[in-house]
Amino acid sequence: MVDRPQAAQSGGRIEEGALLWEPTAERVASARITGFMEWLAADIGRRFDDYQALWTWSVEDLEGFWGALWRYFSLGPPVSGSAVLARGHGAEGARWFAGTPINYVDVVCRHPSEDLAVIAENEAGARVNLSYGELRAMAGAAAAGLRRLGVVQGDRVAAVLPNGVTAVAAFLAVASVGGVWSTCPPEFGVNSMVDRFRQIEPKVLLVADSYQYGGKEFSLDDKARALGEALPGLVATVVVRTGAGASVGTDVESISWDELVAEPAELDPVPVPFDHPLWILYSSGTTGPPKAIVQGHGGIVLEHLKALTLHCDLGPGDRFFWFSTTGWMMWNFLVGGLLTGTTIVCFDGNPMWPGPGRLWELAERTGITFFGTSAPFIDALRKTGYVPRDRHHLPELSTIGSTGAPLSPEGFAFAANQIVDGVMVASVSGGTDVCTAFIGSCPLLAVRAGQMQCRMLGASVEAFDERGEPIIGATGELVITEPMPSMPVFFWDDPDGARLHDSYFSVFPGVWRHGDWLKVTDEGACVVYGRSDATLNRDGVRSGASDFYRVVDTVEGVSDSLVVDTSELGSDGKLYLFVVSAEGADGEDALTDEIRRTIRRELSPRHVPDEVVTVAKLPRTLNGKKIEVPARRILLGTAPEIAVTPGAVDDRDALGAFVDLLVSLRPRAQA
């Protein structure tokens, strides 16, 4: 047993690097990555003493590593050498498995029909279970229906659906015919949907007539009509009846989901090239039109099999959950569990309604083995004082996943100590751009507070200093120096690749710059400190915002916060802290004084904000991330309509009030 440090439920500092968990000998022996290492030794004569040695080989011999994975997962005849990877310039311009046919759905179809594929539940408790056989039947009928509507290889199908079995089956149907899937969650504003879907010109739109959130039901009738008017290439709208909606319709043909799947048909995936578009994901779009990111069948199959099998330790018999809407890449990652033969658990609704125990009740009822969520959810749960281990019986739960933002050492300790004994905390970092994590978990390694366990296999991640040189033990730019199969095939409507190049490769030639601050420890663990374009630069000392939030969030009475540094203005620059007060907090002046004292004591005098500004609410991106960069740009003089896109945030009213405040502060910042 590990003598683990205990974190208070709300507050209490934990030292970064404190040991929280170590795998038992039994867990190491049973881990799927152990089986992979044994296979490498027996099949190709490659033996590795530890994970670090395996990782080093995986990034130094890309052709050998990814070719070995292709064989290990039995994806087709063996492929080796240049047939695995035709290199471009560093991480840019790579071509993977050229000429090799594949279809994502074929891999899903090989699992036993009687095995449970999907458990889907909404916040009202309505549940649907589907076996792999039932899922294939539903997807096969949907694919036949799409063909009747004229969908052929390369056509785009857009969806506005809750997270449930219909969305999963519809995605598999689209992919099976060689169509290209793209989705927005129902709660998005219609302008946000149009900004995304109009770029890709979908042929068919699938839309629910309503969705539930926080105990209420919301009709999607108006959004569906607006989309029909804004997407001139549509030939049909498929309406999924869920409850409140009654009159969804557009100027194009409209049929129900039941009509689409009325004729049974075998699911018969068509072989497509390795890099054939599978789906289109979107960047947050806070500072301009969302980037339409295209990822291919083969790259996603290989990457998700690697990440989910070897790093998340998932396979047949497991039950995999990650809280997500259909608008976040973690939904795509969750569906990837079907590639491994695991049971995926979908939840749609408010994860905190009617109380903080909602998802833990789901975990208890369904026997979830891997529970994935976001760092903000863990922090919010910690602040409520709700302790799952005291209220729920979770003997099957072995791993807690966290992503979406850096998880503080206190968040690590809470997850390790207050949910279930012996649980591994798998904090991961990656992005929509690659639809995976490139820093993450490994069941062979210890978990330490505030540190992600490893750089993931095949991900050549480094921290670069200002000269573009890798550094260890210090903070630098997070970069990827070698290609990964799930990197974008291209951006939609970017024919010469200029936008893709500018997004990732314009700073370090041939090297993917991700835009985060990273520290790699001597042991190979990683710490991400937030966006590198939202750096705090106090008296010449650079630091990430995560350290700042870690301190501010311990102050009783702080519900939410946003920090912005305008040091570029020289002597006129200021460090602004915007704070949302918790219900029942002390008065504004008393809270400000406590914040200043805590930051001075726990961080440093140089980090004490020049101004603490109380606001009613802080807007976030549609995926729940803080809008530090747009706020900073406004304070530095950028016009608000250029600095931030209203449709990319969760609350336009809150955004309007916040932007007005930023503009009012700007003259003082520029005086």
Side-chain angles (χ1 to χ4, degrees):
M1 292 290 292
V2 174
D3 184 15
R4 299 180 295 184
Q6 298 292 312
Q9 294 171 18
S10 58
R13 297 296 301 277
I14 299 295
E15 182 181 356
E16 182 186 296
L19 181 63
L20 297 175
W21 179 89
E22 288 182 301
T24 63
E26 293 77 13
R27 182 144 187 184
V28 169
S30 65
R32 290 176 173 86
I33 192 171
T34 299
F36 175 62
M37 294 171 73
E38 292 170 347
W39 177 86
L40 287 173
D43 198 75
I44 64 174
R46 286 278 188 178
R47 292 175 171 80
F48 302 98
D49 293 333
D50 54 25
Y51 177 82
Q52 187 64 26
L54 177 63
W55 176 81
T56 300
W57 170 69
S58 77
V59 297
E60 291 182 348
D61 183 4
L62 296 179
E63 294 87 347
F65 170 68
W66 292 104
L69 282 183
W70 179 269
R71 291 178 57 198
Y72 182 70
F73 291 118
S74 302
L75 296 176
V79 182
S80 61
S82 60
V84 172
L85 172 61
R87 291 176 179 266
H89 175 47
E92 186 173 15
R95 183 96 187 273
W96 293 93
F97 292 85
T100 304
I102 194 172
N103 191 299
Y104 180 106
V105 182
D106 268 325
V107 184
V108 175
C109 285
R110 64 190 184 181
H111 301 299
S113 295
E114 64 274 14
D115 285 1
L116 186 59
V118 184
I119 300 171
E121 186 171 303
N122 66 17
E123 66 173 30
R127 184 191 302 179
V128 177
N129 292 356
L130 284 185
S131 69
Y132 274 88
E134 291 167 331
L135 179 61
R136 286 197 292 269
M138 181 184 289
L146 291 171
R147 288 189 173 102
R148 292 194 299 273
L149 294 176
V151 175
V152 298
Q153 187 171 325
D155 285 340
R156 278 77 63 205
V157 176
V160 180
L161 296 173
N163 181 10
V165 294
T166 302
V168 175
F171 158 63
L172 295 176
V174 172
S176 73
V177 303
V180 187
W181 173 259
S182 191
T183 186
C184 286
E187 66 271 16
F188 269 23
V190 70
N191 290 334
S192 297
M193 296 179 187
V194 171
D195 285 346
R196 287 154 174 78
F197 290 157
R198 189 159 50 193
Q199 297 182 62
I200 66 171
E201 300 176 300
K203 179 178 270 188
V204 172
L205 172 69
L206 294 95
V207 58
D209 64 352
S210 68
Y211 70 98
Q212 296 178 336
Y213 194 84
K216 299 178 181 179
E217 196 160 16
F218 301 89
S219 172
L220 289 171
D221 293 359
D222 292 342
K223 290 181 181 179
R225 292 192 193 93
L227 283 172
E229 294 170 0
L231 304 175
L234 286 180
V235 300
T237 299
V238 179
V239 181
V240 179
R241 300 292 180 188
T242 61
S247 58
V248 169
T250 66
D251 292 336
V252 299
E253 179 185 358
S254 179
I255 66 171
S256 71
W257 172 261
D258 289 343
E259 291 174 291
L260 184 78
V261 301
E263 298 181 19
E266 292 292 324
L267 185 59
D268 185 21
V270 299
V272 295
F274 188 90
D275 60 358
H276 182 76
L278 172 65
W279 56 47
I280 299 171
L281 304 180
Y282 302 94
S283 63
S284 61
T286 52
T287 57
K291 299 189 292 283
I293 301 166
V294 182
Q295 287 149 350
H297 276 250
I300 290 297
V301 166
L302 261 182
E303 174 58 42
H304 284 188
L305 281 172
K306 178 211 76 178
L308 292 164
T309 304
L310 305 183
H311 288 276
C312 297
D313 202 21
L314 290 167
D318 284 305
R319 296 197 170 180
F320 175 41
F321 169 79
W322 209 297
F323 175 74
S324 177
T325 71
T326 53
W328 188 21
M329 59 142 284
M330 294 311 298
W331 182 84
N332 304 70
F333 193 72
L334 170 66
V335 173
L338 298 172
L339 298 169
T340 74
T342 193
T343 301
I344 65 170
V345 181
C346 303
F347 176 82
D348 189 71
N350 185 335
M352 288 285 196
W353 189 87
R358 180 64 183 87
L359 295 184
W360 305 109
E361 294 166 1
L362 174 70
E364 188 171 15
R365 282 196 304 273
T366 60
I368 288 170
T369 58
F370 188 115
F371 182 104
T373 184
S374 66
F377 175 84
I378 292 175
D379 285 337
L381 185 69
R382 183 164 62 95
K383 288 183 177 181
T384 68
Y386 193 93
V387 179
R389 64 176 295 167
D390 293 344
R391 299 168 180 254
H392 303 282
H393 184 56
L394 302 167
E396 295 90 358
L397 184 58
S398 64
T399 307
I400 299 292
S402 172
T403 193
L407 183 63
S408 67
E410 293 73 30
F412 264 88
F414 177 85
N417 297 330
Q418 306 295 334
I419 294 176
V420 65
D421 283 334
V423 74
M424 184 178 86
V425 181
S427 179
V428 304
S429 181
T432 301
D433 323 73
V434 291
C435 199
T436 190
F438 35 72
I439 303 168
S441 61
C442 175
L444 308 182
L445 303 174
V447 174
R448 297 182 180 276
Q451 298 180 353
M452 286 168 273
Q453 290 164 286
C454 62
R455 292 171 283 186
M456 292 174 67
L457 296 176
S460 184
V461 174
E462 301 285 357
F464 267 16
D465 63 16
E466 296 88 343
R467 299 169 299 170
E469 298 292 334
I471 52 176
I472 299 293
T475 304
E477 284 274 2
L478 193 163
V479 300
I480 306 173
T481 61
E482 298 290 347
M484 295 173 62
S486 66
M487 284 178 173
V489 177
F490 54 86
F491 287 171
W492 202 265
D493 199 22
D494 181 31
D496 61 358
R499 195 177 181 203
L500 188 147
H501 172 85
D502 290 344
S503 296
Y504 308 117
F505 301 108
S506 59
V507 175
F508 303 111
V511 172
W512 175 294
R513 174 185 174 269
H514 197 64
D516 284 337
W517 283 125
L518 169 71
K519 180 179 73 177
V520 181
T521 72
D522 291 335
E523 295 77 24
C526 295
V527 184
V528 172
Y529 293 102
R531 297 293 299 171
S532 58
D533 47 7
T535 305
L536 308 183
N537 189 349
R538 308 304 291 164
D539 299 332
V541 178
R542 297 187 306 175
S543 61
S546 63
D547 280 338
F548 198 95
Y549 295 131
R550 179 188 174 194
V551 172
V552 173
D553 286 349
T554 67
V555 177
E556 187 173 353
V558 173
S559 173
D560 197 6
S561 62
L562 181 80
V563 63
V564 182
D565 189 9
T566 60
S567 293
E568 291 94 327
L569 296 172
S571 60
D572 294 323
K574 290 184 178 181
L575 183 66
Y576 293 89
L577 176 64
F578 302 95
V579 172
V580 179
S581 300
E583 185 176 350
D586 293 337
E588 186 174 325
D589 290 343
L591 181 60
T592 296
D593 290 344
E594 181 60 23
I595 289 170
R596 292 182 185 278
R597 282 194 296 269
T598 303
I599 292 172
R600 180 180 296 275
R601 181 179 68 248
E602 301 290 344
L603 201 53
S604 79
R606 68 165 62 91
H607 288 92
V608 174
D610 298 300
E611 293 202 30
V612 179
V613 184
T614 301
V615 296
K617 183 177 180 181
L618 285 166
R620 291 175 176 256
T621 71
L622 295 170
N623 289 336
K625 296 183 179 181
K626 297 175 187 281
I627 60 165
E628 297 151 331
V629 176
R632 180 167 160 268
R633 294 179 69 190
I634 291 171
L635 285 170
L636 291 174
T638 302
E641 63 270 18
I642 296 174
V644 61
T645 304
V649 298
D650 60 356
D651 188 326
R652 289 194 176 203
D653 292 337
L655 176 66
F658 188 53
V659 166
D660 290 344
L661 173 63
L662 294 173
V663 172
S664 73
L665 292 171
R666 191 167 63 195
R668 285 186 283 164
Q670 293 179 322

